[in-house]
Amino acid sequence: MVYTNCCRCGAMHRKILTAFVALLMLTAIPLSVSADENEDIPTNAAATGVHESLVAALAHADLVAALQGSGPFTVFAPTDQAFTDAGIDLANFNTPELNATLRDILLYHVLADSSVMSGDVTDGLTVEMMNGDNASFTVANGVVSIEGANVTTADVIASNGVIHIIDKVLMPSDDTPEEPANDIPAVATGTGVHTVLVDAIVQAGLLQTLQADGPYTIFAPTDQAFADAGISLTDFDGEEGTAALANVLAYHVTMGAVTSDALSDGMFVTMLNQEQVRIGVTP
């Protein structure tokens, strides 16, 4: 009887050990994600089942339309657990200033105008993220990480770029740069009334153009102006939509730094899309 009990005890131990080993193996398996290459990044993220917090944050920060643009974008997508671990509660981002902070955090996960596959990453590679901060990669023992966040699933292909799933929310540096970005998109981002314009610039693929030296003069419609015009960025989908949006935006930009005192009533200015506008000056 004692021998029989020992056998049962040994069998139970073996079952527990087997279950424990299986659990360890399960936790080591990368997250399996199916993606639709015909759908954009936000749509694919919403379908993974582990990015509800990320998708909600993008909506809260008004970044969905921007990331539905033609891109291409590379997005490092923290899971719901990563948001929980970071203690991020969207209800706390309830002022324009705090919402700008949320946008900064989210844009620190996005690389604009390129699709970076895992095979393109080398140890020590540093890239500039969409919020203007740099992020560095580490590659060790076949594991890719970015700023301490491990890539658990790589190369999830979308119609407008690629998603890499990470296990940690990336936080931009709190250090104030010695020379803060002062290009047109950066200044527009800081006004608080040009959110749609900045999103449109990103969606139309004009971000890097307007971050360049230029100089440029931009006649910048406010968020209310976009609303009054009935313009929704979701209407500009596909290549034709992106080209149409780029043409609209280019009609607001001219080469050269043209100050208001250089403008006169009735003068014509050639815009970036090669069309002319007539300036009106009232006393």
Side-chain angles (χ1 to χ4, degrees):
M1 182 66 68
V2 173
Y3 178 78
T4 303
N5 284 342
C6 287
C7 287
R8 289 177 179 173
C9 184
M12 183 177 295
H13 286 168
R14 285 193 295 273
K15 288 181 180 179
I16 293 174
L17 179 60
T18 300
F20 180 67
V21 171
L23 179 61
L24 288 177
M25 292 177 64
L26 181 62
T27 58
I29 296 174
L31 179 66
S32 177
V33 173
S34 59
D36 187 342
E37 296 185 11
N38 297 314
E39 296 290 352
D40 55 55
I41 286 172
T43 301
N44 272 302
T48 66
V50 294
H51 289 105
E52 292 182 7
S53 297
L54 174 61
V55 174
L58 292 174
H60 192 88
D62 293 325
L63 287 174
V64 173
L67 292 179
Q68 286 176 328
S70 59
F73 304 103
T74 301
V75 174
F76 297 90
T79 61
D80 294 333
Q81 186 60 52
F83 272 87
T84 299
D85 293 342
I88 293 178
D89 183 353
L90 296 183
N92 294 331
F93 296 91
N94 53 10
T95 67
E97 293 78 11
L98 292 174
N99 212 33
T101 298
L102 178 62
R103 285 174 64 90
D104 188 55
I105 292 172
L106 294 173
L107 292 177
Y108 190 50
H109 294 74
V110 182
L111 187 61
D113 300 326
S114 62
S115 291
V116 178
M117 306 298 289
S118 58
D120 300 327
V121 175
T122 56
D123 188 46
L125 173 68
T126 298
V127 295
E128 182 178 344
M129 308 305 282
M130 204 164 152
N131 74 330
D133 286 350
N134 288 336
S136 297
F137 291 92
T138 301
V139 181
N141 300 320
V143 177
V144 176
S145 62
I146 177 171
E147 292 297 320
N150 293 323
V151 176
T152 57
T153 302
D155 303 335
V156 181
I157 306 299
S159 63
N160 61 342
V162 60
I163 301 171
H164 302 293
I165 298 175
I166 56 176
D167 61 2
K168 178 182 175 183
V169 175
L170 307 179
M171 290 296 180
S173 173
D174 291 331
D175 297 334
T176 302
E178 295 180 3
E179 296 183 4
N182 199 36
D183 54 59
I184 286 174
V187 172
T189 298
T191 67
V193 294
H194 290 103
T195 299
V196 179
L197 174 62
V198 174
D199 288 347
I201 289 171
V202 172
Q203 183 170 329
L206 293 175
L207 180 64
Q208 288 188 337
T209 298
L210 294 178
Q211 285 177 329
D213 292 338
Y216 301 105
T217 298
I218 182 167
F219 298 89
T222 62
D223 294 336
Q224 187 60 52
F226 274 92
D228 292 343
I231 292 177
S232 173
L233 297 185
T234 57
D235 294 334
F236 295 91
D237 57 352
E239 292 184 6
E240 291 185 1
T242 300
L245 179 60
N247 185 60
V248 171
L249 294 174
Y251 191 52
H252 293 74
V253 182
T254 187
M255 293 297 299
V258 182
T259 57
S260 60
D261 58 3
L263 299 173
S264 59
D265 190 46
M267 74 179 291
F268 286 88
V269 177
T270 301
M271 309 307 283
L272 207 58
N273 70 341
Q274 300 307 309
E275 294 188 41
Q276 288 193 326
V277 298
R278 185 179 183 275
I279 303 296
V281 179
T282 56

